[in-house]
């Protein structure tokens, strides 16, 4: 059975494209242990989202899961006002595609964050730190949050952006 951190690891592998990586470097980039990353990729392989032999993400399967399954398996719910890192429609690329009241901001709680908004529980506790260090991973995680917690229009825009970003490379 997949765990939320498996999606974070899989998106990180995807964002590396063809770069070489080790479990240690992958683990440090997502702020997890090597054993957590290894177990995550093993679960993703069993779920047919990852080809362990060739170390490649099955892009179309991942996209299908992100668009049609993620919000049911790992739903998000806006919480109390918090400081944090913008996500969903409050982060790029959706932020520039939508006109949203700044008081409707969504954030991953982070004590060093500069934006105040409704707290969205990230898929895994290390997401804000990992996202700060990898722009592409940040965008992908923000887009899936728009699917998890967004309104219909935000979800559709996020789906289009995800499709473009996941299947392009």
């Amino acid at each position: 059975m997949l765990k939320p951190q498996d999606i974070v690891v899989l998106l990180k592998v995807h964002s590396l494209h063809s770069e070489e990586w080790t479990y240690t470097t992958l683990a440090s980039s997502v702020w997890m242990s090597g054993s957590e990353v290894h177990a995550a990729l093993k679960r993703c392989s069993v779920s047919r989202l990852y080809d362990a032999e060739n170390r490649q993400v099955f892009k179309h399967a991942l996209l299908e899961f992100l668009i049609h399954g993620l919000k049911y398996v790992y739903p998000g719910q806006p919480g109390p006002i918090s400081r944090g890192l913008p996500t969903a429609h409050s982060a790029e690329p959706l932020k520039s595609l939508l006109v949203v009241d700044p008081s409707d901001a969504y954030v991953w709680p982070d004590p060093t964050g500069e934006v105040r908004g409704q707290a969205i529980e990230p898929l895994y506790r290390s997401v804000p730190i990992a996202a700060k260090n990898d722009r592409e991973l940040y965008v992908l995680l923000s887009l899936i949050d728009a699917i998890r917690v967004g309104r219909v229009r935000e979800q559709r825009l996020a789906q289009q952006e995800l499709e473009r970003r996941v299947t392009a490379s």
Side-chain angles (χ1 to χ4, degrees):
M1 179 180 294
L2 285 177
K3 294 183 177 184
Q5 64 262 34
D6 301 350
I7 302 306
V8 176
V9 171
L10 204 56
L11 289 173
K12 179 62 183 184
V13 170
H14 171 74
S15 73
L16 291 172
H17 305 286
S18 298
E19 289 179 42
E20 290 293 318
W21 53 267
T22 64
Y23 285 103
T24 304
T25 59
L26 188 59
S28 68
S29 68
V30 292
W31 293 76
M32 295 180 197
S33 70
S35 60
E36 281 179 297
V37 167
H38 186 269
L41 289 176
K42 191 171 188 173
R43 287 187 295 268
C44 289
S45 181
V46 169
S47 298
R48 295 189 302 252
L49 296 173
Y50 177 71
D51 177 357
E53 187 175 318
N54 295 310
R55 295 173 63 144
Q56 293 181 350
V57 174
F58 290 129
K59 295 175 188 179
H60 293 286
L62 173 61
L63 184 65
E64 180 180 6
F65 177 71
L66 294 176
I67 290 174
H68 300 293
L70 189 79
K71 68 181 176 181
Y72 299 108
V73 179
Y74 310 118
Q77 192 71 31
I81 301 296
S82 176
R83 282 176 38 165
L85 189 62
T87 188
H89 66 268
S90 302
E92 292 300 340
L94 296 183
K95 183 178 179 180
S96 60
L97 298 174
L98 296 164
V99 177
V100 179
D101 185 344
S103 65
D104 276 342
Y106 288 159
V107 299
W108 293 316
D110 179 10
T112 64
E114 298 179 7
V115 175
R116 290 184 55 79
Q118 286 186 279
I120 301 295
E121 183 77 24
L123 284 177
Y124 191 71
R125 66 182 174 267
S126 66
V127 161
I129 300 168
K132 286 180 189 176
N133 295 309
D134 183 334
R135 181 76 183 146
E136 186 172 351
L137 180 63
Y138 180 27
V139 167
L140 293 171
L141 290 166
S142 293
L143 289 170
I144 63 173
D145 272 356
I147 292 172
R148 290 174 60 216
V149 299
R151 295 177 194 100
V152 173
R153 181 156 189 251
E154 295 157 3
Q155 288 178 358
R156 285 193 183 132
L157 285 171
Q159 289 169 4
Q160 292 168 356
E161 280 294 316
L162 267 175
E163 185 170 355
R164 188 174 67 77
R165 292 167 189 273
V166 170
T167 60
S169 54

